[in-house]
Amino acid sequence: MNNLVQSIRQQSKHIQIRKTKFIAQNLKQQYTDSTLMSHFLTALSMTFPKGERFFVETIRNVRNKIDDPNLQMDITGFIGQESHHAQAHELFNKSIQSADYQLSKYTEAFEKEMLRLRTLSYRRQLAATVALEHFTAMMAGYMLKHPDFMFKRLSPNMKNLWLWHAVEEIEHKHVAFDVYQSVFSNLAQRRRSMRTITIGFIIGITLMTAHLLWQDRKNSLYKPNELMKNITVFLGLILMMIRLSPEYLAFYRADFHPFQIDQNDLLEKGRALILE
Ligand SMILES: [Fe+2]
Ligand SMILES: [Fe+2]
């Protein structure tokens, strides 16, 4: 392990499990400055309850093979944080739905995909978690680095959900990776899983966002001002992908570790914001 990873590991505190102050009441389908960004975040939220419970399972499957007490403590933190995220987003998803704004079509398709993943070997299941955790950490870092793009006009209640989640994703970003390295340490599988997860994740989120935009087309597409704003946000999302590509590609390096992407400053900034 290189020096940077070792020094960040020594500095990092134990993973803290917090309860969010978010309340799933009176939610509006548009909760950021643009309808596109709101639908994009809601599409991400749709995947969280089932996805994050799957992550927890994939780690529990092999937890008994971990001897390192520090990693065992991190696993406890990881499970606590992800379980709270799944609960909070489940409430969010239920509250934001309405008769003309439905997530259920994709929930069913996503559930089928989750069932398929569970038929794979423990190694492949955990490699999928590792790849997806890299995505969530990249996205969380981007949210904290560019809050004016991702979180413009977010209410304090919504900040309690989205900022809290972003901070904790960065705090536990190394856990699935370290468990995978301790138990399987298989580079070819890690790379393979990242390739397939990338295709599935990008296509899935794009389709869901497009579907939500279409369901909300009266507000999202038919109002010239909103449409112009959404085109700008769409270009911003493309720019996000370009800006994140070095972090994404780093994952394929043989000596990659999540701590090599130093997000400590962002973490401090994010923690201060959720304590405001
Ligand atoms: Fe999470
Ligand atoms: Fe996570």
Side-chain angles (χ1 to χ4, degrees), residues 52 55 78 82 85 133 136 169 172:
E52 299 193 306
F55 297 169
F78 176 90
E82 292 292 41
H85 301 166
E133 279 288 282
T136 51
E169 283 308 314
H172 71 229

Side-chain angles (χ1 to χ4, degrees), residues 25-61:
Q25 271 173 11
N26 303 323
L27 303 186
K28 293 195 178 108
Q29 285 152 10
Q30 180 181 352
Y31 49 90
T32 67
D33 189 47
S34 73
T35 49
L36 174 56
M37 184 55 76
S38 304
H39 299 320
F40 172 71
L41 292 175
T42 301
L44 286 176
S45 177
M46 202 291 293
T47 67
F48 290 147
K50 297 264 185 276
E52 299 193 306
R53 285 180 184 129
F54 170 77
F55 297 169
V56 166
E57 265 178 53
T58 61
I59 290 190
R60 279 205 175 117
N61 287 340

Side-chain angles (χ1 to χ4, degrees), residues 34-35 216-232:
S34 73
T35 49
D216 182 46
R217 57 191 174 280
K218 272 189 210 152
N219 298 314
S220 300
L221 305 174
Y222 296 167
K223 291 181 183 166
N225 280 355
E226 196 55 41
L227 182 63
M228 285 310 293
K229 214 188 272 179
N230 284 341
I231 291 170
T232 311

Side-chain angles (χ1 to χ4, degrees), residues 59-103:
I59 290 190
R60 279 205 175 117
N61 287 340
V62 297
R63 187 176 188 170
N64 60 356
K65 295 192 170 71
I66 304 291
D67 298 324
D68 177 353
N70 287 325
L71 185 50
Q72 278 290 355
M73 241 182 325
D74 280 353
I75 291 173
T76 303
F78 176 90
I79 292 174
Q81 287 191 338
E82 292 292 41
S83 305
H84 278 129
H85 301 166
Q87 270 172 20
H89 281 275
E90 200 159 48
L91 293 172
F92 171 88
N93 295 349
K94 271 186 195 151
S95 303
I96 207 150
Q97 285 200 78
S98 65
D100 54 0
Y101 191 74
Q102 293 183 10
L103 302 173

Side-chain angles (χ1 to χ4, degrees), residues 159-188:
K159 276 187 186 168
N160 286 335
L161 178 70
W162 290 99
L163 281 172
W164 160 76
H165 196 167
V167 164
E168 295 196 349
E169 283 308 314
I170 297 177
E171 286 176 339
H172 71 229
K173 66 176 180 177
H174 60 290
V175 180
F177 188 93
D178 285 346
V179 173
Y180 180 82
Q181 288 301 95
S182 305
V183 180
F184 300 112
S185 192
N186 186 306
L187 176 62

